[in-house]
Amino acid sequence: CPSNASVSPSNAMASTNFEFHAPHWHGNVVIANNMRTDVTTLLPMGMLIADMVPDNPGTWFFHCHVSDHLRMGMQSLFTVAP
């Protein structure tokens, strides 16, 4: 992500294959499935809406907790401006 990127208050994610994912946001939390959390599960062929109120400024790590996915580079940085 560029250093001037902003975080959208909602994240829509979908899985188009037969693998599951475990997205993990460092530094901030989301509301997914009516729970406040920093990690959730995206089931195979599923969809998830995760609402975020980014209230912790900084540059944070976002990645999938599935080891093979993390090793293959399923990771990113996101920036929350003060």
Side-chain angles (χ1 to χ4, degrees):
C1 282
S3 61
N4 61 352
S6 61
V7 175
S8 171
S10 293
N11 300 282
M13 294 171 277
S15 175
T16 59
N17 57 28
F18 294 99
E19 297 180 341
F20 74 94
H21 300 279
H24 180 200
W25 294 264
H26 287 248
N28 286 270
V29 296
V30 297
I31 305 293
N33 300 321
N34 297 316
M35 295 185 307
R36 185 176 163 91
T37 184
D38 66 352
V39 65
T40 189
T41 302
L42 181 58
L43 299 174
M45 305 299 286
M47 184 175 164
L48 173 72
I49 302 294
D51 294 317
M52 177 189 284
V53 177
D55 57 1
N56 191 7
T59 298
W60 301 101
F61 192 46
F62 171 70
H63 63 98
C64 181
H65 253 287
V66 176
S67 295
D68 288 343
H69 297 171
L70 187 55
R71 277 194 297 275
M72 291 185 290
M74 195 174 284
Q75 56 191 295
S76 183
L77 296 175
F78 68 97
T79 300
V80 177

